[in-house]
Amino acid sequence: MKSHDLIIIGGGPAGLAAAISAREAGVEDILILERDRELGGILNQCIHNGFGLHTFKEELTGPEYAARFIEKAAALSIPYLLETMVMDISSDRVVTAMNRKQGYFTLQAKAIILAMGCRERARGALNIPGYRPAGIYSAGTAQRLVNIEGFMPGKEVVILGSGDIGLIMARRLTLEGAKVKVVAELMPYSGGLKRNIVQCLDDFGIPLKLSHTVIDIEGKERVEAVTIAEVGPDRNPIPGTEERYTCDTLLLSCGLIPENELSRAATVELSRITSGPVVNESLETNIDGIFACGNVLHVHDLVDYVSEEAAHAGRAAAAYINGNAVKGTHSIRILPKGGVRYTVPVEISPERMEDTLTLRFRVGDVYRNKSIGVYFGDKKVQSRKRQVMAPGEMEQVILKKEDLCSEPDLSEITVTIEEG
């Protein structure tokens, strides 16, 4: 069995940023395992712009953003295996993988960084009634068909779900000559960024119907029509609100799920809210030496934040491998309350922190003219007013190491939404 200091599962933006950060922190023996035929992950099919504004202070397309990291990894001579499927990770950090050249093989790692990304929620998880004809695609599959394979999925399109990929594909298909008739969203708010609603729907006159869902799909060989209806507070269709749209394609953009089958195999504790690993301030899971970052940890709205988080994971893994990781003696739990659905991380040890820690979270509803409050025990230490907060956009607060170290008896930090 070959051994490596650090094995990174996934060669997308998270895996690349983590590898570069770990190498710069002094880890020489790194191996990236990527199941696709090239590095870059999902960014390779995201040919629209809007990437890199935080990281590079300029606007890039997805492939351009990925290329920056691929080139840097190449300059640092970080090795990787492509078309390599990881089959299993054990709790003692043994990775089982396979590819065409080496067949079935195992690797022992001193540390592992999970960077597998996320997947789309499929039709089977949505319980949509009707036939199962051709012409039903996830938004990401349609994006790959159009942007990489050069195929148009259809000419008359209905989109269910207002996640960012669905919104971007509404614009993309329109630009390629298709007619996007409507975007229906089950929730009373959009699941995507506000800028994508404006740039991808409003600018092209595509209607967004909130609190609507698909109740019937017609067509045996190919989709012929889709019926949508308004839903009530219980999310059940309201009789008499049905609208029928003739179409040949239905795209599903109904949420992303962290890709955590391998994490489960390694007995990593997963959050019931995010479906991603539960991590501490070092992005380390409950399994010693296994770290997680990017969309496998929780679904991000900006790839710049993925890269920032992954760089943090790379530094933490390097400290672990090099024996420089500080043993934390004081653990503080983070409690999400008052509309905050979860936080990443969920607990922190001030001794192990860097000078600052970015605490990221999402809210559970649309809030207007409210504040984000941070409490050390019963003492309010931060309050930041926000005009609008929505589930589609990630929020964050910054915690300082010096503030936490000055509170030796602190056991809980509360993050909550409160009156502005």
Side-chain angles (χ1 to χ4, degrees):
M1 185 190 302
K2 285 187 177 180
S3 62
H4 296 275
D5 285 348
L6 177 61
I7 294 177
I8 297 173
I9 316 298
L16 289 167
I20 291 165
S21 174
R23 173 58 61 83
E24 291 175 340
V27 181
E28 292 297 323
D29 186 11
I30 300 173
L31 180 64
I32 300 173
L33 302 178
E34 168 56 49
R35 67 183 178 185
D36 211 342
R37 58 177 180 254
E38 55 201 4
L39 295 173
I42 199 68
L43 290 181
N44 291 323
Q45 67 186 51
C46 299
I47 65 172
H48 53 280
N49 61 2
F51 301 92
L53 290 169
H54 294 267
T55 306
F56 298 111
K57 310 303 181 198
E58 59 181 304
E59 200 170 35
L60 305 171
T61 65
E64 287 172 332
Y65 186 94
R68 298 278 178 99
F69 284 89
I70 293 169
E71 289 164 6
K72 192 165 186 180
L76 293 171
S77 302
I78 297 173
Y80 54 88
L81 293 177
L82 299 177
E83 296 183 288
T84 299
M85 177 68 77
V86 176
M87 312 298 292
D88 185 60
I89 301 172
S90 71
S91 57
D92 55 354
R93 301 185 297 280
V94 174
V95 177
T96 304
M98 63 186 297
N99 60 32
R100 289 183 178 182
K101 290 183 178 178
Q102 292 152 285
Y104 188 84
F105 59 95
T106 55
L107 303 167
Q108 176 69 60
K110 287 184 182 177
I112 293 172
I113 296 179
L114 306 173
M116 295 91 73
C118 57
R119 67 173 186 269
E120 295 176 279
R121 193 172 272 113
R123 179 186 173 176
L126 303 176
N127 296 320
I128 304 172
Y131 289 105
R132 302 180 69 86
I136 303 173
Y137 301 90
S138 69
T141 300
Q143 187 181 55
R144 183 177 181 92
L145 287 173
V146 175
N147 293 346
I148 292 183
E149 310 295 343
F151 292 107
M152 274 291 282
K155 286 292 185 182
E156 293 186 303
V157 184
V158 170
I159 300 177
L160 173 61
S162 60
D164 287 314
I165 307 173
L167 298 175
I168 287 163
M169 283 311 296
R171 175 179 64 185
R172 186 78 180 95
L173 290 170
T174 302
L175 291 172
E176 288 295 336
K179 172 65 175 174
V180 179
K181 296 195 167 182
V182 68
V183 176
E185 168 58 56
L186 176 69
M187 304 302 288
Y189 48 78
S190 169
L193 294 169
K194 178 67 176 176
R195 74 180 189 199
N196 284 334
I197 296 171
V198 173
Q199 295 173 4
C200 302
L201 299 187
D202 296 352
D203 288 357
F204 292 90
I206 299 169
L208 170 63
K209 290 183 176 285
L210 301 175
S211 298
H212 281 71
T213 192
V214 171
I215 61 169
D216 190 31
I217 300 170
E218 299 175 37
K220 291 190 176 180
E221 300 299 323
R222 175 86 191 195
V223 175
E224 295 173 2
V226 165
T227 301
I228 69 171
E230 188 176 352
V231 298
D234 58 0
R235 300 184 194 170
N236 287 325
I238 300 172
T241 63
E242 298 86 356
E243 297 176 62
R244 183 177 180 273
Y245 294 87
T246 57
C247 61
D248 59 15
T249 304
L250 172 65
L251 296 193
L252 306 177
S253 180
C254 301
L256 302 168
I257 306 168
E259 190 79 78
N260 270 302
E261 281 67 26
L262 292 172
S263 308
R264 278 194 195 88
T267 65
V268 167
E269 181 186 355
L270 301 181
S271 164
R272 291 184 298 106
I273 306 298
T274 65
S275 298
V278 173
V279 295
N280 62 16
E281 76 295 322
S282 302
L283 301 181
E284 188 174 16
T285 68
N286 62 304
I287 304 300
D288 198 39
I290 297 184
F291 301 78
C293 60
N295 283 349
V296 79
L297 179 55
H298 59 136
V299 177
H300 294 61
D301 45 13
L302 295 178
V303 73
D304 302 73
Y305 295 154
V306 168
S307 301
E308 181 184 314
E309 188 179 87
H312 177 40
R315 291 191 297 271
Y320 176 88
I321 292 164
N322 295 329
N324 300 328
V326 177
K327 290 293 182 184
T329 58
H330 179 202
S331 183
I332 303 170
R333 293 289 296 180
I334 312 295
L335 302 180
K337 288 187 177 178
V340 177
R341 295 191 68 226
Y342 68 89
T343 66
V344 174
V346 299
E347 69 175 7
I348 55 179
S349 175
E351 303 100 317
R352 291 160 55 99
M353 274 177 60
E354 297 181 340
D355 291 340
T356 61
L357 175 71
T358 302
L359 197 69
R360 293 195 168 94
F361 62 92
R362 288 183 189 268
V363 296
D365 204 342
V366 176
Y367 296 95
R368 299 183 188 279
N369 299 314
K370 301 283 187 180
S371 289
I372 300 169
V374 180
Y375 291 80
F376 287 4
D378 295 328
K379 181 175 70 174
K380 181 187 282 191
V381 295
Q382 285 189 42
S383 181
R384 182 160 55 92
K385 290 185 177 180
R386 300 280 282 116
Q387 283 189 323
V388 180
M389 288 180 281
E393 304 201 24
M394 192 177 292
E395 302 290 339
Q396 63 183 41
V397 295
I398 308 294
L399 300 177
K400 294 181 180 179
K401 181 172 184 172
E402 61 181 2
D403 294 341
L404 294 170
C405 288
S406 67
E407 302 273 356
D409 299 324
L410 183 62
S411 61
E412 293 179 347
I413 295 174
T414 302
V415 182
T416 185
I417 307 301
E418 53 192 14
E419 290 302 320

